[in-house]
Amino acid sequence: MEVASCTALVTGGASGLGAATVEHLATAGASVLVLDLPGSDGRVLAERLGPSVAFYPGDVRDEDAVSEAVGQAADLGDLRILVNCAGIGEGHRLLGPDGQPSSLEAFRRVVEVNLLGTFNTMRLAAAEMLRHEPVGEERGVVVNAASITAFDGQIGQAAYSASKAGVVGMTLPVARDLADKQIRVVTIAPGFFATPMLQRRVVAEGLESLAGHIPHPSRLGVPAEFAQLVRAIVANPMLNGETIRLDGAARMPPR
């Protein structure tokens, strides 16, 4: 599918991997609706990138907000691309230093944003994609962002790993579910990328240590490299039902 002929909805599109994806798709000629929280920089990003990019403030867990965002994306043109980048990360050991159990609410919050939010946007965007006639072999493409923590999560990442493993686990069954509707589903599992979420959680010395765990190239990933893969997935009709690790061959140590 040609990006230039499409309208895209990018969740978590105000920063990090999402913002890079928005900019890459818009530069390639797509119209893009950014869905992110009201306090995000989504409006600033949309104003900077011009009239082909719009912002809708909302939470991916909110059915009404996502429905409205899908409708606003459809106002820009036929919605054919969904990129799910919205996510949060919190670190909690199962038991605290005093042996007390960790917060169930904290676990629930991460799973609701990362997993339930991804499912919510997929189901609503896919219903909108189905309204349009196919372009060649397909109606639309869904690209989800998971993480390599889905496969080798570290100590304290139970909630984050579980939520991202759920995104990976949904990929094939949802791709099969949508196959007769000519909508593809692919997930990217990024490794260590230089994003605001990572930089908030890890000091500079720690970032250098993380880069040292990446065989080649031995550095943090650049968000634009994630965006490039999104565009390649959209363009290649045989990519479907798969999770692609984008990690420089990194495997995460226990801590």
Side-chain angles (χ1 to χ4, degrees), residues 217-241:
S218 189
R219 58 168 174 80
L220 298 181
V222 178
E225 293 167 329
F226 176 92
Q228 289 167 4
L229 181 53
V230 170
R231 184 175 178 183
I233 289 168
V234 172
N236 192 327
M238 282 302 288
L239 281 172
N240 193 18

Side-chain angles (χ1 to χ4, degrees), residues 13-254:
S15 66
L17 302 180
T21 300
V22 170
E23 184 162 3
H24 195 85
L25 294 177
T27 300
S31 298
V32 187
L33 191 286
V34 178
L35 172 60
D36 212 320
L37 295 173
S40 72
D41 292 330
R43 197 173 307 280
V44 174
L45 177 68
E47 290 174 354
R48 177 170 67 82
L49 293 178
S52 66
V53 178
F55 171 62
Y56 182 82
D59 190 316
V60 291
R61 296 171 292 181
D62 185 331
E63 181 174 4
D64 291 339
V66 175
S67 293
E68 181 63 25
V70 167
Q72 291 204 12
D75 289 342
L76 299 176
D78 291 353
L79 178 61
R80 297 194 183 274
I81 302 170
L82 169 65
V83 185
N84 276 312
C85 291
I88 60 173
E90 298 178 7
H92 301 281
R93 285 177 176 257
L94 194 67
L95 300 178
D98 57 358
Q100 292 299 307
S102 61
S103 166
L104 182 60
E105 179 55 35
F107 186 95
R108 179 183 290 116
R109 181 169 57 251
V110 173
V111 171
E112 285 185 349
V113 174
N114 296 355
L115 180 56
L116 185 148
T118 297
F119 179 81
N120 191 33
T121 55
M122 281 199 298
R123 70 189 185 90
L124 295 171
E128 174 62 28
M129 292 176 185
L130 188 59
R131 296 180 58 246
H132 310 305
E133 290 300 315
V135 175
E137 297 179 301
E138 53 195 341
R139 279 193 173 87
V141 184
V142 175
V143 182
N144 297 320
S147 167
I148 61 171
T149 61
F151 309 103
D152 37 55
Q154 296 179 299
I155 291 170
Q157 290 185 326
Y160 190 69
S161 295
S163 67
K164 294 302 188 179
V167 173
V168 171
M170 286 195 298
T171 303
L172 181 58
V174 175
R176 288 171 165 171
D177 189 359
L178 297 177
D180 64 345
K181 298 169 179 61
Q182 296 169 285
I183 299 171
R184 294 187 286 120
V185 182
V186 177
T187 292
I188 302 172
F192 303 115
F193 272 69
T195 64
M197 185 167 72
L198 180 65
Q199 291 164 339
R200 282 193 301 267
R201 295 173 58 195
V202 183
V203 298
E205 295 79 4
L207 293 175
E208 292 179 8
S209 175
L210 290 178
H213 289 291
I214 305 173
H216 179 71
S218 189
R219 58 168 174 80
L220 298 181
V222 178
E225 293 167 329
F226 176 92
Q228 289 167 4
L229 181 53
V230 170
R231 184 175 178 183
I233 289 168
V234 172
N236 192 327
M238 282 302 288
L239 281 172
N240 193 18
E242 184 57 271
T243 296
I244 304 169
R245 290 182 69 127
L246 186 65
D247 60 9
R251 297 298 182 267
M252 298 180 73

Side-chain angles (χ1 to χ4, degrees), residues 4-21:
S5 65
C6 298
T7 294
L9 171 61
V10 181
T11 74
S15 66
L17 302 180
T21 300

